[in-house]
């Protein structure tokens, strides 16, 4: 089964908790705190595996989690780091955050690894909090939670040249003749339901990857027929070979077919019509082919047309030379907009991410206030609140972040209720 789009829930490992411990050894007076740190949580990592051609393994494994870090130990010993969860995916996979739509990773290189969800930070043991004022701290940090998000994993086949055209115009036959690929070929529409790739060798020694893509119909850019399932796979192609049934084998008008396919390419979101296009007039052995070709050249005099009969491999060599020449002068087309990418250099993708405030104060009315934000929520979840020392330490942290003053500036008064992570506190001096 060819699977090219899957929704997955990923959860990185929680950081290990630090512990409270004291050194107690004979003849060692005032041994002091010795609670060790926890271990960092494991990451969820996606890695390219060239042996894979589909996302089928993710279809049946839609919840992915990495190991949590181990707890700290006595004698200042650290807990073990949680093991990463490595997920193998095909070349050409894109990972998107479903909530924001942000592209997290674009896996286009052999052996490429990308961290999709970062493991939680380890909690510190009590020996970190020793000071001249507090020589025996009874406090240790909890580990931070790992990142958790819903992602959409998409496969966009990595091919240099893509074949487009109506169903049954001869795309699969063309691929089978010029490469060792063996796509299914039959006399009915939509024989090809999944992209097929083949390595094409040009007689002068050059080579490129060609993709036989499922046939288009009118309205494909709006999702009709195979719709976006087809168009998604041509986004990475640098050159398009537009195969036209010039013999009108199915009774369609080749001029109208050419116009409809180009309209669907133009209506798609990734500027497919900016790619150089080679027009291949196929089935020239049929009775009406010569007449239709003359009409086509009159209607589109600026278009270079190659006459072929793919079933007997006639006229294909000039097409391969032309495709190889275009590939040498055509750069890669970006799959991202300016809001998603700042710069692409040396194979590293730099994504634009707006800076988030440390916290946000919301007035819920009737003397109720809520504090939200990634930084304050992470600090709260890493804080033990078991005794007075724990509460005082968290209060000092909030004051250092400027939350006390921000609440007062917003109108919060003594006795009001402040909510953090669904836990209520009374605001007072």
């Amino acid at each position: 089964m060819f699977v090219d789009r899957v929704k997955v829930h990923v959860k990185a490992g929680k950081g290990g908790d630090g512990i409270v411990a004291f050194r107690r050894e004979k003849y060692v007076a005032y041994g002091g705190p010795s609670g060790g740190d926890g271990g960092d949580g494991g990451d969820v990592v996606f890695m390219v595996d060239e042996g894979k051609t589909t996302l089928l393994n993710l279809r049946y494994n839609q919840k992915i989690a990495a190991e949590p870090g181990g707890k700290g130990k006595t004698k200042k010993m650290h807990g073990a780091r949680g093991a990463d969860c490595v997920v193998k995916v095909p070349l050409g996979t894109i990972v998107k955050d479903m909530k924001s739509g942000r592209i997290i990773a674009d896996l286009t290189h052999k052996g490429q690894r990308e961290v999709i969800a970062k493991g939680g930070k380890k909690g510190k043991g009590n020996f970190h909090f020793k000071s001249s004022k507090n020589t025996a701290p009874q406090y240790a940090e909890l580990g931070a939670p790992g990142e958790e998000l819903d992602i959409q994993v998409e496969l966009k086949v990595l091919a240099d040249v893509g074949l487009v055209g109506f169903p049954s115009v001869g795309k699969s036959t063309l691929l089978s003749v010029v490469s060792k690929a063996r796509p299914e070929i039959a006399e009915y529409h939509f024989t090809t339901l999944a992209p097929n790739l083949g390595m094409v060798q040009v007689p002068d020694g050059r080579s490129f990857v060609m993709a036989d893509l499922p046939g288009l119909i009118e309205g494909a850019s709006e999702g009709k027929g195979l719709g976006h399932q087809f168009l998604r796979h041509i986004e990475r192609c640098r050159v398009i070979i537009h195969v036209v049934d010039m013999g009108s084998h199915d009774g369609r008008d080749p001029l109208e077919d050419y116009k409809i396919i180009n309209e669907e390419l133009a209506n798609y979101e990734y500027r497919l019509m900016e790619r150089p296009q080679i027009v291949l007039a196929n089935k020239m052995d049929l009775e009406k082919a010569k007449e239709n070709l003359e009409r086509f050249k009159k209607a589109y005099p600026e278009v270079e047309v190659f006459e072929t009969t793919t079933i007997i491999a006639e006229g294909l060599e000039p097409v391969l030379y032309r495709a190889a020449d275009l590939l040498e002068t055509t750069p890669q087309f970006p799959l991202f907009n300016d809001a998603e990418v700042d710069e692409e250099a040396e194979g590293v993708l730099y994504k634009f991410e707006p800076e988030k405030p440390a916290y946000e104060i919301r007035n819920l009315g009737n003397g109720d206030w809520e504090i939200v934000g990634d930084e304050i929520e992470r600090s709260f979840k890493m804080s033990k609140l078991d005794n007075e020392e724990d509460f005082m330490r968290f209060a000092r942290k909030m004051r250092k972040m400027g939350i006390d003053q921000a609440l007062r500036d917003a109108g919060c008064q003594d006795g009001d209720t402040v909510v953090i992570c669904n836990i209520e506190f009374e605001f007072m001096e």
Side-chain angles (χ1 to χ4, degrees), residues 12 63 218 245 251 264 302 333 365 428:
K63 291 185 178 180
E218 188 172 3
D245 177 6
E264 298 306 321
E302 74 286 356
F333 288 81
M428 63 179 60

Side-chain angles (χ1 to χ4, degrees), residues 8-15 41-46 61-69 82-87 95 104 115-120 143-151 381:
V8 180
H9 182 82
V10 294
K11 183 178 181 181
K14 175 184 177 296
D43 303 331
V44 175
V45 180
F46 277 29
N61 184 24
Q62 296 186 351
K63 291 185 178 180
I64 298 172
E67 286 187 2
D84 293 340
C85 179
V86 180
V87 181
V95 183
I104 302 172
V115 176
I116 306 303
K118 184 71 176 174
E147 290 184 334
E148 185 173 1
L149 63 157
D150 292 310
I151 59 173
K381 291 175 182 177

Side-chain angles (χ1 to χ4, degrees), residues 402-419:
I403 294 177
D404 281 16
Q405 188 59 46
L407 282 167
R408 293 193 181 280
D409 293 344
C412 186
Q413 300 179 359
D414 289 353
D416 285 356
T417 300
V418 177
V419 179

Side-chain angles (χ1 to χ4, degrees), residues 394-429:
F394 183 66
R396 288 194 297 270
K397 183 182 292 186
M398 292 180 63
R399 186 174 291 112
K400 188 175 181 180
M401 292 176 66
I403 294 177
D404 281 16
Q405 188 59 46
L407 282 167
R408 293 193 181 280
D409 293 344
C412 186
Q413 300 179 359
D414 289 353
D416 285 356
T417 300
V418 177
V419 179
I420 304 176
C421 294
N422 297 322
I423 304 297
E424 295 184 354
F425 298 88
E426 184 179 351
F427 184 74
M428 63 179 60
E429 187 63 46

